[in-house]
Amino acid sequence: WETCWFKVELNIPPAWAGREVHFVWESDGEGMVWRDAQPVQGLTKEGEKTSYILTRSLKGSEPHSLTLYVELACNGLFGAGKGSMIAPPDPDRRVTLSKAELVVFNRDVYELLVDLEILLDMAQLLGEENQRSFQALYTANQMVNVCDVTDPSTFPAARDLAAAIFSQRNGESQHTIHAMGHCHIDSAWLWPYEETIRKCARSWVTVVHLMEHNPELTFACSQLGLIPGLRQAQQFEWVRHHYPGLYARIRDFVAKGQFIPVGGTWVEMDGNLPSGESMVRQFLQGQRFFHEQFGRFCSEFWLPDTFGYSAQLPQLMRGCGIQRFLTQKLSWNLVNSFPHHTFFWEGIDGSQVLTHFPPGDSYGMHGRVEEMLKTVKNNKDKGRVNHSAFLFGFGDGGGGPTQKMLDRMKRMSDTDGLPRVQISTPDQLFSVLEKESSQLCTWVGELFLELHNGTYTTQAQIKKGNRECERILHDVEVLSTLAVARDREFQYPANQLQQLWRFLLLNQFHDVLPGSCIQLVVEDALQYYTEIRRAGAQLQEEAVESLCQDLLQPEEWSTQSTLVLNTLSWERTEVISRPGPNGTETLALVTVPSMGYALVQEPFVPPEPVVVWEQEDGFITMENGVIAVCVDTMGHLISLRLMDSGRSSIADGYANQFALFDDVPLYWDAWDVMDYHLETRKPVTTVLKPLKVTLGGGLRGSVRFSLKVGKNSTLTQEIILDAMCPYLRFQTQVEWKEAHKFLKVEFPVAVRSTNATYEIQFGHLQRPTHWNTSWDWARFEVWSHKWLDLSEHGFGVALLNDCKYGASVHRNILSLSL
């Protein structure tokens, strides 16, 4: 991820007067041309950008001798993978500069070649049943006959033949394609966060350069908000310091309406895993940024490349002033083809947003005839709407639009036989779709991507860090707010919290939180979580000291009293662990009111203590008056009874069964787990340390055991039952050293229901427990937040977790992916 610099001294021959002169640079690393201390052109062979235009017609008054600098990165558009794009980066990769030349560019020949390309594509793709294909073919043939490649004076006559075809207009009913420049840049993926700054600069300086010579060009940019979130909260100042001239030019084109901020969120986050509060903060920070920098809020939510979309998003969008949504990722579905491209999407509360999927099923089109025809043919809402989006430009690793893409589309703006193509804006597209929306269909519930199900589980430390840091920031904000209400002198830590939130929001980018990124990105993300934990603990301590200062005075304190705070909105009675004499820990049963505190002084004796006893066969039973559980020597739950009802919740057999599956997907290794992995299930049965009692009852009973998992991994679990507690806790530690394996834990329960309930952002969602249809079967692995539940009338079982997202319920088996 290093860059190196080349100093390039140019001398343009005087004989080239009146000619168009380019500086050509070809390398297998991305580059940036600098001139007069300003970035002027991004270079990438993969993005078809290998030249910088020095002059379009050399004049005597122009400098003939000049100095350029080229910054060359040791990575390509898609990183530096060894052997394949998604392989780990090659630390020994070498980048080759294969061409550095000063050339005359013959624009007449270029224009002629673009004419011929469009005509030949029409001839090949319109089909024999369409007379326009033959007209295009015979026109191209005439052009070849007229054109003498050794005589440039014959070129205009050949171009006139092409212009005659392109100027024959469409009828009024023809489909209209709204073309918008686009450049999807992943904040981090196959490259680290740092490299993204340079990718943005390379891509956007090229777009600005194109706009200066193509005033009709529009560019929809959804990544502006990511820049200030990189590395530190003040990173935007860092970027302005390095690229101040570029930023000023971008703001000018925003004011002109060509460079169009879209998106509305801080980064293009994952659409499933962030909590409801995190999603609100994504919109809050994003909309605030766009308004502060550009004087406007986004009216479109732009999320083209994440791995599914929560059913809560429509309500959150509407609450943040957004009523329009664009994506295309569901075109990647592996099983079912999504039935619409333009429709109303309805969330769990009934909120609706107008949603559009570009029918070309891509956000990186190149302006070719084939793509235009696919956009019309593929459109699943023909007859309901007659307009659709077409996003053109190299993406994922940046790059953006090229001049050739624009030149192709200029020839197709209104050509008989092809859809009408107009350079447009998101607002223009959605405005006309809103006028045509009376017959649109409505899709209710989540937009589930039938692919990349492994991203709910990949990189367990990132998943754990996200959940923990969401909880830490919640607690800091609750305690700080209460402290402000109680003590006017307490300073609410708004700036520190914004910085920590931005760290967290950045890590929720759709290739970081899902774990589909290189190791270097994972290491960066874990450092951000470490910083949130450290700073969050300090802010929490400061808030508690202000909020409870009277209670923390020495005369109020003794070894027998402990201050306990509850940051949740309901009263809680729980067993806690508190410091005891000589550094030991003691247990206490405490009741703490909603958003309140309690001072624990004397041990509180529960009405029914936990009873633990070991049976002759080695099985261990624990009871607390609410539930009773029996555990065998391997840690399986043999029975789990709600004592009031006497009903056992475990089906025939046992629960808490760990199972190992083969994990060999078709291609996307970190992203995918395929349905056929279910055929490779192997129960974990090798005991390293058999079940034993670790706490014998009273306020808490617990047992512990260890298992060998796979060839090299170990699992240790403690099963805990507290006094008065209506649930059983499992504290699980896994030393994971397996490759291409998938570990789950299963709970077959004595409950029958055709639907299971899963927690999502600010609500819950039901999904089928059967595989009746292909839509059901494609959801063999789904995502959930803190709980999933299987219930029938009057009885049910829920499985809760503090750091996992992948889950499934098939028939009566609750499964959590570890």
Side-chain angles (χ1 to χ4, degrees), residues 152-423:
S153 67
T154 63
F155 295 174
R159 291 212 62 209
D160 287 344
L161 291 169
I165 283 282
F166 299 144
S167 63
Q168 292 173 343
R169 303 304 180 204
N170 272 300
E172 292 184 7
S173 65
Q174 183 59 273
H175 187 86
T176 299
I177 287 175
H178 292 249
M180 294 165 250
H182 193 252
C183 177
H184 180 67
I185 303 175
D186 286 320
S187 301
W189 179 31
L190 305 174
W191 50 86
Y193 286 128
E194 291 280 3
E195 177 60 21
T196 308
I197 301 173
R198 293 187 286 267
K199 283 182 173 289
C200 290
R202 292 181 203 120
S203 303
W204 295 343
V205 74
T206 303
V207 169
V208 167
H209 186 68
L210 281 174
M211 286 178 174
E212 290 169 345
H213 298 281
N214 300 269
E216 77 281 3
L217 172 61
T218 60
F219 180 72
C221 181
S222 61
Q223 295 289 339
L224 281 170
L226 70 89
I227 299 178
L230 295 171
R231 299 289 294 175
Q232 53 186 332
Q234 293 80 26
Q235 191 63 50
F236 191 55
E237 291 301 320
W238 183 91
V239 171
R240 282 203 283 199
H241 175 72
H242 281 75
Y243 305 107
L246 170 59
Y247 186 73
R249 292 162 72 193
I250 288 173
R251 290 190 65 154
D252 288 343
F253 282 105
V254 170
K256 293 177 183 177
Q258 288 181 256
F259 204 106
I260 304 165
V262 294
T265 51
W266 187 244
V267 296
E268 290 186 5
M269 76 280 193
D270 181 84
N272 298 323
L273 308 187
S275 69
E277 187 61 36
S278 289
M279 284 190 168
V280 169
R281 301 304 174 105
Q282 288 282 0
F283 284 106
L284 173 68
Q285 294 288 342
Q287 291 284 55
R288 177 181 290 166
F289 171 80
F290 286 123
H291 191 261
E292 288 175 354
Q293 293 295 317
F294 305 112
R296 51 159 292 193
F297 293 113
C298 291
S299 57
E300 301 88 17
F301 182 34
W302 202 272
L303 196 60
D305 192 34
T306 194
F307 312 140
Y309 304 88
S310 167
Q312 182 56 275
L313 275 168
Q315 182 179 9
L316 297 182
M317 280 185 252
R318 294 297 294 254
C320 297
I322 294 176
Q323 301 181 33
R324 302 159 167 180
F325 176 50
L326 183 141
T327 185
Q328 61 81 47
K329 198 64 178 184
L330 263 66
S331 65
W332 284 49
N333 272 8
L334 200 59
V335 182
N336 299 285
S337 176
F338 194 78
H340 301 293
H341 282 104
T342 306
F343 58 99
F344 285 106
W345 180 24
E346 185 175 304
I348 59 175
D349 74 319
S351 296
Q352 291 189 349
V353 291
L354 178 59
T355 300
H356 183 68
F357 298 172
D361 293 340
S362 173
Y363 50 70
M365 296 295 205
H366 294 170
R368 297 183 181 276
V369 170
E370 180 180 12
E371 296 165 342
M372 303 298 176
L373 296 177
K374 178 183 178 182
T375 295
V376 176
K377 181 180 179 181
N378 212 35
N379 182 17
K380 294 188 173 72
D381 295 282
K382 298 182 186 76
R384 296 191 180 100
V385 291
N386 206 24
H387 295 257
S388 59
F390 184 94
L391 308 180
F392 64 94
F394 288 93
D396 290 334
T402 67
Q403 184 65 54
K404 181 173 279 190
M405 296 175 189
L406 284 167
D407 292 336
R408 288 170 180 147
M409 289 185 290
K410 287 174 184 176
R411 289 159 170 80
M412 292 184 273
S413 61
D414 192 4
T415 297
D416 186 25
L418 298 177
R420 189 177 285 110
V421 180
Q422 67 180 49
I423 301 297

Side-chain angles (χ1 to χ4, degrees), residues 731-767:
Q731 289 191 346
T732 312
Q733 294 285 333
V734 180
E735 186 72 23
W736 185 249
K737 298 180 180 178
E738 305 304 303
H740 291 106
K741 298 293 181 183
F742 194 2
L743 179 65
K744 304 183 184 185
V745 63
E746 300 168 345
F747 291 82
V749 295
V751 178
R752 180 172 175 79
S753 176
T754 55
N755 288 288
T757 307
Y758 301 79
E759 191 205 21
I760 66 170
Q761 298 85 354
F762 297 134
H764 60 266
L765 187 71
Q766 288 196 327
R767 300 184 179 110

